[in-house]
């Protein structure tokens, strides 16, 4: 597909999703909210990044950045304001499923919108992470690795060394929880459960890959080889677990599951490929780049494996790997493949009398949220439109 056609596709998809999100916005006493779907496909009002209101602001803030649409700016700010309300303060820590993610959404919006009030709202959330000990969860979705990434982002934005030291503390805790075997290191999902009760996931969302991704960010920030060496040990473990799959490489969900049946952002090649892209960019080792390319090949050959357009389990999340491979290699093949997945994603929307509806994680359901609904698909369209300037807002 030529560059102009890719741009047109990306713009058309992003505009359609923005129309859906704008139409379904609900003014609240403070801020703006949306009804989203929980894991049982029941309607809810939820503040989280994963399948709630805060995640919608990630799309809206970047839509404003690229279009200058003031209504998008207003809605992004309103989503953050609603998610920050005191009734949500008991919401657990965690980058995607907890209050850390609300902080990340506010940080992202603050930077894109130039909103100092939202920047100030990030600080108490970070203070909680500084006050409380890391754990007992290790992963990037809801544990120490994700909390560490938030603290790194806040340090980059403020240059306050307290946040960098907080990220290092999360790294030190993860270093202490690492388990060793001949091939390398890995992490249990829970550190407060017995060996038989915990889970030794490999994927990006819940396992060693996502934790390694954080360690690579930590090395990038500090240039302390302690973190690159720990990340390299984890990559050796992932190397040993890789399996040939449709001309590339895939990984089983965990050390307890020898087969590799999944190929989605949270488990398998698409997410683990993102970690290898980060390793290649940060450590400059060609074998990491080749493994990332092999993960991309498997991801493309699996195609629309879950038959949905979402970030967490579908085309948009898998297509993010293609954009990162394009950024890493400059090879337009990967941009074309991202456009292919975007075109397939577009087929999951419906034109109704009131406007477009965008598919969620399961057929027949529609939701505006980020990881399982329209906002995440919309952000993928935005990244396809501006692959050299827009990064994945959470990772």
């Amino acid at each position: 597909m030529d560059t102009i056609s890719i741009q047109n596709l990306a713009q058309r998809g992003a505009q359609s999703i923005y129309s859906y999100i704008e139409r379904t916005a609900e003014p609240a006493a403070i801020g703006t909210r949306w009804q989203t779907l929980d894991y049982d496909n029941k309607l809810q009002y939820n503040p989280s990044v994963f399948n709630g209101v805060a995640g919608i602001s990630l799309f809206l803030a970047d839509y404003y950045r690229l279009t200058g649409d003031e209504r998008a700016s207003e809605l992004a700010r309103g989503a953050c304001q609603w998610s920050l309300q005191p009734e949500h303060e008991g919401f657990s820590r965690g980058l995607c499923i907890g209050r850390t993610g609300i902080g990340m959404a506010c940080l992202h919006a603050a930077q894109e919108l130039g909103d100092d009030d939202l920047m100030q709202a990030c600080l108490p959330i970070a203070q909680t992470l500084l006050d409380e000990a890391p754990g007992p969860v290790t992963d990037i979705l809801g544990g120490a690795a994700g909390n560490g990434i938030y603290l790194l982002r806040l340090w980059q934005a403020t240059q306050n060394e307290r946040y960098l030291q907080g990220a290092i503390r999360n790294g030190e805790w993860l270093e202490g929880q690492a388990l060793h075997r001949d091939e390398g290191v890995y992490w249990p999902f829970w550190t407060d459960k017995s060996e038989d009760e915990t889970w030794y996931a490999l994927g990006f969302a819940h396992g060693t890959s996502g934790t390694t991704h954080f360690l690579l960010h930590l090395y990038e920030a500090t240039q302390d080889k302690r973190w690159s060496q720990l990340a390299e040990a984890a990559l050796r473990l992932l190397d040993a677990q890789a399996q040939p799959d449709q001309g590339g490489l895939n990984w089983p969900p965990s050390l307890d599951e020898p087969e590799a049946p999944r190929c989605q952002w949270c488990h398998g090649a698409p997410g683990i490929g993102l970690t290898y892209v980060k390793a290649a960019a940060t450590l400059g080792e060609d074998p990491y780049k080749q493994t990332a390319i092999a993960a991309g090949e498997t991801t493309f050959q699996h195609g629309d494996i879950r038959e949905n357009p979402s970030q967490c389990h579908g085309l948009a999340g898998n297509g993010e790997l293609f954009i990162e491979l394009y950024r890493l290699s400059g090879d337009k093949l990967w941009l074309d493949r991202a456009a292919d997945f975007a075109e397939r994603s577009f087929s999951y929307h419906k034109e109704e009398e009131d406007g477009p509806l965008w598919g969620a994680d399961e057929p027949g359901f529609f939701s505006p949220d980020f990881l399982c609904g329209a906002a995440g698909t919309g952000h993928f369209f935005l990244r396809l439109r501006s692959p050299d300037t827009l990064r994945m807002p959470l990772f």
Side-chain angles (χ1 to χ4, degrees):
M1 188 180 293
D2 64 74
T3 302
I4 292 176
S5 296
I6 292 174
Q7 292 279 307
N8 289 339
L9 168 64
Q11 183 170 334
R12 193 166 74 251
Q15 285 177 340
S16 179
I17 287 175
Y18 174 67
S19 176
Y20 167 54
I21 287 174
E22 182 186 29
R23 179 170 57 83
T24 54
E26 300 178 11
I30 296 177
T32 307
R33 66 181 186 176
W34 285 260
Q35 281 194 323
T36 60
L37 295 175
D38 66 13
Y39 253 170
D40 296 318
N41 292 316
K42 294 179 181 177
L43 290 172
Q44 61 175 353
Y45 291 108
N46 182 300
S48 79
V49 160
F50 187 85
N51 59 356
V53 169
I56 298 171
S57 73
L58 299 172
F59 165 71
L60 290 167
D62 279 332
Y63 189 84
Y64 167 74
R65 173 181 172 179
L66 293 185
T67 67
D69 189 313
E70 291 293 341
R71 176 62 172 157
S73 170
E74 176 188 335
L75 290 171
R77 188 176 287 108
C80 291
Q81 290 168 342
W82 184 84
S83 300
L84 285 164
Q85 290 311 295
E87 60 264 30
H88 304 141
E89 284 184 358
F91 207 59
S92 65
R93 292 181 296 165
L95 182 59
C96 290
I97 58 173
R99 198 157 180 81
T100 304
I102 297 171
M104 185 71 95
C106 291
L107 176 59
H108 187 71
Q111 292 176 305
E112 298 303 328
L113 309 181
D115 190 317
D116 189 60
D117 288 341
L118 288 180
M119 181 63 74
Q120 292 302 311
C122 301
L123 307 186
I125 295 171
Q127 189 62 47
T128 299
L129 301 179
L130 299 180
D131 291 342
E132 297 180 5
V137 177
T138 60
D139 76 350
I140 205 167
L141 202 75
N147 291 335
I149 283 181
Y150 173 60
L151 291 169
L152 282 178
R153 287 280 185 88
L154 195 54
W155 167 69
Q156 290 166 346
T158 65
Q159 292 300 296
N160 187 322
E161 286 294 310
R162 294 172 62 244
Y163 303 129
L164 178 59
Q165 292 305 313
I168 290 171
R169 186 176 71 145
N170 277 272
E172 290 171 340
W173 181 80
L174 287 165
E175 182 181 43
Q177 303 302 319
L179 301 175
H180 298 257
R181 56 195 289 176
D182 289 344
E183 304 97 315
V185 304
Y186 61 103
W187 283 268
F189 177 74
W190 292 285
T191 60
D192 59 347
K193 295 189 177 184
S194 71
E195 183 176 341
D196 293 336
E197 292 177 311
T198 195
W199 183 28
Y200 304 102
L202 296 174
F204 191 90
H206 298 297
T208 290
S209 170
T211 301
T212 305
H213 195 83
F214 162 60
L215 294 171
L216 291 165
H217 278 283
L218 191 57
Y219 169 68
E220 191 173 48
T222 64
Q223 292 299 297
D224 186 339
K225 289 188 176 180
R226 174 185 187 181
W227 308 122
S228 62
Q229 289 168 355
L230 186 58
E232 287 171 325
L235 289 163
R236 289 196 297 272
L237 184 282
L238 291 170
D239 287 343
Q241 296 299 314
Q243 300 176 8
D245 186 357
Q246 299 199 36
L249 291 173
N250 203 359
W251 285 259
S254 74
L255 291 172
D256 306 314
E257 301 174 71
E259 301 299 323
R262 303 187 191 183
C263 190
Q264 56 202 52
W265 166 83
C266 42
H267 298 286
I272 294 176
L274 291 174
T275 296
Y276 276 93
V277 168
K278 183 65 179 175
T282 304
L283 305 177
E285 298 291 339
D286 189 65
Y288 297 143
K289 178 180 176 180
Q290 296 309 313
T291 300
I293 289 171
E297 186 62 35
T298 291
T299 300
F300 184 72
Q301 295 304 328
H302 272 281
D304 190 6
I305 189 171
R306 281 290 300 269
E307 298 185 347
N308 78 67
S310 75
Q311 281 273 344
C312 196
H313 307 109
L315 289 160
N318 290 8
E320 296 284 7
L321 175 57
F322 306 151
I323 293 178
E324 290 302 301
L325 284 167
Y326 169 72
R327 287 162 58 93
L328 178 69
S329 68
D331 186 345
K332 189 174 176 292
L333 167 71
W334 298 109
L335 194 63
D336 288 339
R337 288 182 166 185
D340 178 277
F341 273 30
E343 200 163 30
R344 299 191 209 192
S345 296
F346 199 84
S347 70
Y348 285 100
H349 91 288
K350 294 175 63 176
E351 292 292 342
E352 300 284 303
E353 185 175 344
D354 293 339
L357 285 172
W358 275 83
D361 196 42
E362 293 187 19
F365 291 93
F366 305 90
S367 179
D369 65 82
F370 191 81
L371 276 168
C372 291
T377 306
H379 200 274
F380 172 56
F381 280 116
L382 292 178
R383 293 235 302 149
L384 181 63
R385 177 180 167 182
S386 298
D388 296 318
T389 57
L390 279 190
R391 67 180 180 183
M392 296 180 72
L394 293 174
F395 311 115

